[in-house]
Amino acid sequence: MRALATPLVLLLAGPVATPLQADNGTIVALALDTSGSIGPEGLNRARELAGGVLAELGPGSEAAVFTFDDRSRLIQDRTSQAAELGRALAGVKMSGRYTALYDALYDASRYLRDAPGSRKAIVLLTDGHDENSALTVEDGLKVAEESNIPVYAVGVGNVDERVLRRIAKLTGGEYFPPGSANAAALASRIGTGPASPEAAERPATGAESAPVPAVHAPSTSPRADAPAPSRGGRRGLWMGLGAALLALGGLGWLVLGRRSPAAPPPGAAASGPAAPSSDAGSRTLVTDTAPTILARVGSATDEYLEKTVVLRERPVLSVTRGPGAGHVFEVKIGGATSVGRAKVNDIVLRDDVAVSSEHCRIRPEEGHFVIHDLKSTNGTFVNDHRVSRQPLAEGDTIQVGETYFQFRLEHRRS
């Protein structure tokens, strides 16, 4: 029967601390970069480091293994058995042409978020270079931050420190430069890192209990052991309540006065003094804040408001020639849209034999949509010109294999 453990995702990196003695177990997600950019030596280092973390975490702890190159994958579900973890790591090999780092960060964060337990962390072993992820780094960071999952980023190979430091800092983890991390240090940092929100919600017991300051309003049924309020305190309380009642009364008078003004006598408009400008300002303030005044406006404008719709632009690729002519595919506005024959792509062109498995991708960059060729066999063309990277404009023609797209911005109701 699996022991109850608290999830912990490890993004390998950080300074050394005292050894961890896990008393209630932790769950670690070990995310290993298996792309060619880290090299065989870097992969061996990452494999060795990941294999030692579980033993250092102590009884009841568990570890899961993710690898990422062209795509992110879970190769070992969480386990407390060192032998089972070792077999999974022994089978890890370099593969692929790209590094889906951001996809792996997102997958590991979601995996730990949905796992039981109060302590979780990600150990990320990578050089920090992302290529061809369908998601952005913010997607994974958001899940990790909201779930209180620290990432311990361990640099391997030729490292982009800026990326790894950012990931570690924003999630409450640490960054370990190449050669500075060991299994004991990682386990120690995991044990002293933040616990997940569900742990904070559990009431503390014994010496862990801390008094909560009484900042709420007095109870209507006072506790028997509560000291009686002083005479000065009671007087201050009554004065405060009186002031509040006076303020509420003044506001009510103002609102009612504006709601049903008395009809002016005949001729008053001609002979009476002009209203001061400050009164006009008061009318504006009350109209903005009082629901009774707002209710009077609705009858004149509801008809127009109900007939008004918001139109939103959505980028699309419309197939104008080749297999699948007439189909329209939506382009993501919050991440990359991949195109190719493989099923992992967002736009799958399995009937076009001239399209590469992962041919190109389109992603939003600095207010534009930019198409990137992924070293495809037959190339990516925009308006009959072969490109490796090209910002798109509405109406551009994109050729992928024997398939022709038109890039358009359509309007839809929101």
Side-chain angles (χ1 to χ4, degrees):
M1 181 177 179
R2 176 178 289 171
L4 179 62
T6 39
L8 181 63
V9 182
L10 295 171
L11 199 79
L12 276 149
V16 179
T18 57
L20 168 70
Q21 295 297 328
D23 55 354
N24 62 344
T26 54
I27 297 181
V28 178
L30 304 166
L32 281 71
D33 186 340
T34 53
S35 66
S37 61
I38 66 170
E41 184 178 346
L43 181 60
N44 290 336
R45 167 67 176 156
R47 190 191 292 118
E48 176 187 355
L49 195 55
V53 171
L54 181 60
E56 294 291 339
L57 285 172
S61 298
E62 295 179 308
V65 180
F66 286 82
T67 61
F68 57 94
D69 37 70
D70 286 354
R71 62 187 181 91
S72 165
R73 59 183 74 83
L74 174 67
I75 66 166
Q76 173 61 58
D77 200 1
R78 66 181 194 270
T79 178
S80 60
Q81 303 300 315
E84 190 175 3
L85 183 67
R87 284 193 295 271
L89 290 171
V92 171
K93 295 180 176 59
M94 283 194 302
S95 63
R97 294 184 296 171
Y98 306 107
T99 311
L101 167 60
Y102 301 156
D103 289 354
L105 176 60
Y106 177 79
D107 290 343
S109 298
R110 286 192 60 187
Y111 178 86
L112 290 184
R113 180 197 66 185
D114 298 336
S118 59
R119 188 171 296 282
K120 313 170 185 180
I122 297 173
V123 175
L124 183 67
L125 302 113
T126 181
D127 57 11
H129 299 283
D130 177 82
E131 297 174 301
N132 204 33
S133 280
L135 304 173
T136 65
V137 66
E138 282 75 18
D139 295 318
L141 286 174
K142 181 179 180 182
V143 177
E145 287 181 85
E146 290 178 350
S147 305
N148 230 25
I149 298 171
V151 176
Y152 297 87
V154 177
V156 180
N158 184 18
V159 174
D160 185 342
E161 289 198 346
R162 181 183 60 86
V163 171
L164 296 185
R165 288 185 184 277
R166 181 181 181 224
I167 291 173
K169 187 173 184 65
L170 291 178
T171 59
E174 291 187 26
Y175 165 66
F176 292 80
S180 66
N182 58 61
L186 286 169
S188 174
R189 291 309 188 196
I190 292 167
T192 57
S196 59
E198 55 263 34
E201 293 172 1
R202 289 198 301 267
T205 57
E208 297 177 355
S209 299
V212 179
V215 294
H216 45 275
S219 171
T220 54
S221 54
R223 291 163 33 201
D225 59 344
S230 65
R231 185 165 181 163
R234 284 197 299 268
R235 183 171 61 185
L237 177 62
W238 284 112
M239 290 178 65
L241 289 174
L245 289 172
L246 285 173
L248 288 173
L251 180 61
W253 175 85
L254 186 61
V255 171
L256 290 174
R258 294 290 178 258
R259 183 179 180 184
S260 53
S271 59
S277 59
S278 61
D279 186 53
S282 299
R283 277 199 296 273
T284 301
L285 176 63
V286 174
T287 301
D288 288 343
T289 57
T292 54
I293 304 300
L294 292 175
R296 299 171 61 188
V297 181
S299 58
T301 59
D302 280 351
E303 179 182 356
Y304 300 100
L305 290 176
E306 290 174 359
K307 294 181 180 179
T308 302
V309 296
V310 178
L311 298 178
R312 297 178 57 193
E313 287 186 340
R314 67 165 186 171
V316 298
L317 293 179
S318 175
V319 182
T320 59
R321 210 167 93 197
H327 289 170
V328 177
F329 300 96
E330 187 165 354
V331 176
K332 296 178 184 176
I333 61 174
T337 302
S338 57
V339 181
R341 291 177 61 200
K343 292 181 180 179
V344 296
N345 293 287
D346 300 296
I347 299 177
V348 180
L349 304 175
R350 62 168 58 93
D351 295 329
D352 190 338
V353 294
V355 172
S356 296
S357 176
E358 295 180 32
H359 198 104
C360 64
R361 71 171 180 265
I362 300 172
R363 65 190 313 164
E365 296 178 12
E366 300 179 352
H368 298 87
F369 287 92
V370 180
I371 189 167
H372 298 259
D373 181 69
L374 301 179
K375 300 180 181 179
S376 61
T377 302
N378 294 311
T380 299
F381 295 80
V382 176
N383 299 329
D384 297 326
H385 296 286
R386 186 164 184 166
V387 299
S388 58
R389 178 186 181 277
Q390 176 67 36
L392 296 174
E394 185 169 12
D396 280 350
T397 297
I398 301 168
Q399 180 185 354
V400 175
E402 296 179 348
T403 300
Y404 288 76
F405 296 101
Q406 184 182 48
F407 178 74
R408 299 201 315 258
L409 295 175
E410 290 189 344
H411 291 86
R412 65 177 177 183
R413 294 188 177 194
S414 175

